[in-house]
Amino acid sequence: MTPAQTTAAARQDWMRLERRGAINRAGFLSAIILFLTVVSIPVLLPYLWLLVKSLTASDGSVGQMVLWRSSAIAGIAYVGAICLALWAERFRRPAAAWAALAVVVIILAAIFVAPYLTLQNYRFLWNRDIAGTGTTRLDLMPSIWTALGSSLLFAIAQTAIVTLVATPAAYALSRFAFAGRENFLRGLLLLHAFPALALTVAIFVQLHYMGLLNSLTGVVLVMSALELPFAIFVLKGFFDTVPWDIEMSAVTDGATRSQAFRMVVLPQVRSGLIAVATFTFLRGWEEYVFVQTLLIDKSQMTMSLYLFFVAQDSMGADYGMIAAVGVVYLLPVLILYTFTQKYITQMSFGGIKG
């Protein structure tokens, strides 16, 4: 075999290997996308149903039709987005392709979905008579704005208490050695693993004698105490990743331990603080059991209780209004995640970056 023939054969082998590698990558990527799609459908479909149902009339046939049309349009948008993401490098103007996809989706929604949409299900935002049936139980409920304010106050207060207490506690556990430190850490894990519902009666009696029963303050203190062990343990892991040398360098340069903590250490664990604060807020926002148990007077109910009572008294009568309350209930969570997702996805814990 001549050198030219050897070179041509080697080139063909490399081209064959390249084609095989491209086929394997395409097959693997297709399998991953298919798997993620199949797994995501059961998770995302209820949210789509919630949104569509909140914007359609109570007529079941119309709601089903709009749901199927919305699902089809969402599927087209999803497939189009995947194709654009995979082939974006081959387009001269990727932004124009994305804009064209958005225009197509908007036109389809305007033609097949928009004519059937209504805001009537959101009448509870401006009308206290949300039931429309005169039921005594719903007439005695506070307005949606009162419940929303109570939930925000409850979740923000719990987040502030947990973050302010857990941060110095986690720093002390990370930086200082003292007798019983390991046992204390094991105790934190045990407290977090302990089923909180087993303490419901004891907490009820304790708050009664403390004069904090039927008070948002009492529920905030209870939930803060239950969330503290896990928050301390998680934040300790973040403080452990901060090198001791940079803190000592600041002290050597004349900073006090407090200044080194505030100006050097805290910026290094910002992602962890934001993550813990976010998860604590979500935990307080969605809390139902202790709010239902410890708030006897429902005039100061939170959004979780509000949604429960609306669903219970309107079940079988107005699913659209129940879905609308659910959408309002989800909005603060979506807004919070929009502003904090950058920090949560970039946080590192135990040397592993999320």
Side-chain angles (χ1 to χ4, degrees), residues 185-198:
L185 289 174
R186 295 190 186 96
L188 288 178
L189 284 179
L190 179 62
L191 287 174
H192 179 70
F194 194 84
L197 289 179

PDB file of all heavy atoms in Angstrom, residues 185-198:
ATOM      1  N   LEU A 185     -23.606  19.232  67.155  1.00  0.00           N
ATOM      2  CA  LEU A 185     -23.931  19.089  65.749  1.00  0.00           C
ATOM      3  C   LEU A 185     -24.848  17.891  65.519  1.00  0.00           C
ATOM      4  O   LEU A 185     -25.791  17.959  64.727  1.00  0.00           O
ATOM      5  CB  LEU A 185     -22.650  18.934  64.928  1.00  0.00           C
ATOM      6  CG  LEU A 185     -21.776  20.193  64.809  1.00  0.00           C
ATOM      7  CD1 LEU A 185     -20.461  19.863  64.107  1.00  0.00           C
ATOM      8  CD2 LEU A 185     -22.520  21.278  64.063  1.00  0.00           C
ATOM      9  N   ARG A 186     -24.551  16.791  66.211  1.00  0.00           N
ATOM     10  CA  ARG A 186     -25.435  15.617  66.091  1.00  0.00           C
ATOM     11  C   ARG A 186     -26.832  15.947  66.617  1.00  0.00           C
ATOM     12  O   ARG A 186     -27.842  15.482  66.071  1.00  0.00           O
ATOM     13  CB  ARG A 186     -24.841  14.444  66.858  1.00  0.00           C
ATOM     14  CG  ARG A 186     -23.525  13.932  66.297  1.00  0.00           C
ATOM     15  CD  ARG A 186     -23.134  12.616  66.957  1.00  0.00           C
ATOM     16  NE  ARG A 186     -21.817  12.187  66.539  1.00  0.00           N
ATOM     17  CZ  ARG A 186     -20.689  12.416  67.214  1.00  0.00           C
ATOM     18  NH1 ARG A 186     -20.751  13.079  68.363  1.00  0.00           N
ATOM     19  NH2 ARG A 186     -19.536  11.999  66.753  1.00  0.00           N
ATOM     20  N   GLY A 187     -26.890  16.737  67.677  1.00  0.00           N
ATOM     21  CA  GLY A 187     -28.185  17.135  68.216  1.00  0.00           C
ATOM     22  C   GLY A 187     -28.982  17.977  67.229  1.00  0.00           C
ATOM     23  O   GLY A 187     -30.206  17.857  67.140  1.00  0.00           O
ATOM     24  N   LEU A 188     -28.284  18.839  66.464  1.00  0.00           N
ATOM     25  CA  LEU A 188     -28.974  19.639  65.457  1.00  0.00           C
ATOM     26  C   LEU A 188     -29.623  18.752  64.403  1.00  0.00           C
ATOM     27  O   LEU A 188     -30.773  18.967  64.000  1.00  0.00           O
ATOM     28  CB  LEU A 188     -27.985  20.608  64.789  1.00  0.00           C
ATOM     29  CG  LEU A 188     -27.506  21.799  65.617  1.00  0.00           C
ATOM     30  CD1 LEU A 188     -26.497  22.618  64.825  1.00  0.00           C
ATOM     31  CD2 LEU A 188     -28.687  22.684  66.027  1.00  0.00           C
ATOM     32  N   LEU A 189     -28.876  17.750  63.952  1.00  0.00           N
ATOM     33  CA  LEU A 189     -29.439  16.833  62.966  1.00  0.00           C
ATOM     34  C   LEU A 189     -30.608  16.044  63.542  1.00  0.00           C
ATOM     35  O   LEU A 189     -31.615  15.808  62.865  1.00  0.00           O
ATOM     36  CB  LEU A 189     -28.352  15.872  62.462  1.00  0.00           C
ATOM     37  CG  LEU A 189     -27.347  16.458  61.464  1.00  0.00           C
ATOM     38  CD1 LEU A 189     -26.328  15.394  61.082  1.00  0.00           C
ATOM     39  CD2 LEU A 189     -28.055  16.974  60.228  1.00  0.00           C
ATOM     40  N   LEU A 190     -30.483  15.648  64.796  1.00  0.00           N
ATOM     41  CA  LEU A 190     -31.562  14.896  65.431  1.00  0.00           C
ATOM     42  C   LEU A 190     -32.817  15.749  65.565  1.00  0.00           C
ATOM     43  O   LEU A 190     -33.937  15.280  65.315  1.00  0.00           O
ATOM     44  CB  LEU A 190     -31.112  14.389  66.798  1.00  0.00           C
ATOM     45  CG  LEU A 190     -32.149  13.586  67.602  1.00  0.00           C
ATOM     46  CD1 LEU A 190     -32.515  12.321  66.831  1.00  0.00           C
ATOM     47  CD2 LEU A 190     -31.607  13.242  68.989  1.00  0.00           C
ATOM     48  N   LEU A 191     -32.638  17.006  65.938  1.00  0.00           N
ATOM     49  CA  LEU A 191     -33.790  17.903  66.069  1.00  0.00           C
ATOM     50  C   LEU A 191     -34.468  18.122  64.727  1.00  0.00           C
ATOM     51  O   LEU A 191     -35.704  18.210  64.654  1.00  0.00           O
ATOM     52  CB  LEU A 191     -33.349  19.246  66.661  1.00  0.00           C
ATOM     53  CG  LEU A 191     -32.989  19.252  68.148  1.00  0.00           C
ATOM     54  CD1 LEU A 191     -32.447  20.617  68.545  1.00  0.00           C
ATOM     55  CD2 LEU A 191     -34.211  18.899  68.986  1.00  0.00           C
ATOM     56  N   HIS A 192     -33.663  18.210  63.665  1.00  0.00           N
ATOM     57  CA  HIS A 192     -34.265  18.401  62.343  1.00  0.00           C
ATOM     58  C   HIS A 192     -34.993  17.141  61.876  1.00  0.00           C
ATOM     59  O   HIS A 192     -36.021  17.227  61.206  1.00  0.00           O
ATOM     60  CB  HIS A 192     -33.191  18.781  61.334  1.00  0.00           C
ATOM     61  CG  HIS A 192     -33.730  18.974  59.947  1.00  0.00           C
ATOM     62  ND1 HIS A 192     -34.526  20.046  59.606  1.00  0.00           N
ATOM     63  CD2 HIS A 192     -33.600  18.223  58.821  1.00  0.00           C
ATOM     64  CE1 HIS A 192     -34.859  19.947  58.337  1.00  0.00           C
ATOM     65  NE2 HIS A 192     -34.313  18.851  57.835  1.00  0.00           N
ATOM     66  N   ALA A 193     -34.449  15.985  62.224  1.00  0.00           N
ATOM     67  CA  ALA A 193     -35.069  14.733  61.786  1.00  0.00           C
ATOM     68  C   ALA A 193     -36.300  14.381  62.615  1.00  0.00           C
ATOM     69  O   ALA A 193     -37.139  13.592  62.179  1.00  0.00           O
ATOM     70  CB  ALA A 193     -34.050  13.589  61.856  1.00  0.00           C
ATOM     71  N   PHE A 194     -36.432  14.979  63.801  1.00  0.00           N
ATOM     72  CA  PHE A 194     -37.549  14.645  64.679  1.00  0.00           C
ATOM     73  C   PHE A 194     -38.852  15.140  64.060  1.00  0.00           C
ATOM     74  O   PHE A 194     -38.949  16.282  63.606  1.00  0.00           O
ATOM     75  CB  PHE A 194     -37.348  15.309  66.052  1.00  0.00           C
ATOM     76  CG  PHE A 194     -38.255  14.780  67.117  1.00  0.00           C
ATOM     77  CD1 PHE A 194     -37.928  13.630  67.809  1.00  0.00           C
ATOM     78  CD2 PHE A 194     -39.451  15.421  67.417  1.00  0.00           C
ATOM     79  CE1 PHE A 194     -38.763  13.136  68.796  1.00  0.00           C
ATOM     80  CE2 PHE A 194     -40.291  14.934  68.394  1.00  0.00           C
ATOM     81  CZ  PHE A 194     -39.943  13.784  69.090  1.00  0.00           C
ATOM     82  N   PRO A 195     -39.886  14.297  63.984  1.00  0.00           N
ATOM     83  CA  PRO A 195     -41.161  14.738  63.381  1.00  0.00           C
ATOM     84  C   PRO A 195     -41.824  15.838  64.197  1.00  0.00           C
ATOM     85  O   PRO A 195     -42.220  15.627  65.349  1.00  0.00           O
ATOM     86  CB  PRO A 195     -42.004  13.456  63.369  1.00  0.00           C
ATOM     87  CG  PRO A 195     -41.393  12.578  64.412  1.00  0.00           C
ATOM     88  CD  PRO A 195     -39.937  12.899  64.440  1.00  0.00           C
ATOM     89  N   ALA A 196     -41.953  17.006  63.579  1.00  0.00           N
ATOM     90  CA  ALA A 196     -42.491  18.175  64.292  1.00  0.00           C
ATOM     91  C   ALA A 196     -43.949  17.997  64.666  1.00  0.00           C
ATOM     92  O   ALA A 196     -44.414  18.561  65.668  1.00  0.00           O
ATOM     93  CB  ALA A 196     -42.305  19.424  63.441  1.00  0.00           C
ATOM     94  N   LEU A 197     -44.698  17.209  63.887  1.00  0.00           N
ATOM     95  CA  LEU A 197     -46.113  17.033  64.186  1.00  0.00           C
ATOM     96  C   LEU A 197     -46.340  16.363  65.532  1.00  0.00           C
ATOM     97  O   LEU A 197     -47.396  16.547  66.150  1.00  0.00           O
ATOM     98  CB  LEU A 197     -46.776  16.202  63.083  1.00  0.00           C
ATOM     99  CG  LEU A 197     -46.951  16.897  61.725  1.00  0.00           C
ATOM    100  CD1 LEU A 197     -47.597  15.945  60.732  1.00  0.00           C
ATOM    101  CD2 LEU A 197     -47.770  18.157  61.872  1.00  0.00           C
ATOM    102  N   ALA A 198     -45.353  15.597  65.999  1.00  0.00           N
ATOM    103  CA  ALA A 198     -45.491  14.954  67.304  1.00  0.00           C
ATOM    104  C   ALA A 198     -45.518  15.978  68.435  1.00  0.00           C
ATOM    105  O   ALA A 198     -45.952  15.667  69.550  1.00  0.00           O
ATOM    106  CB  ALA A 198     -44.355  13.955  67.525  1.00  0.00           C
TER     107      ALA A 198
END
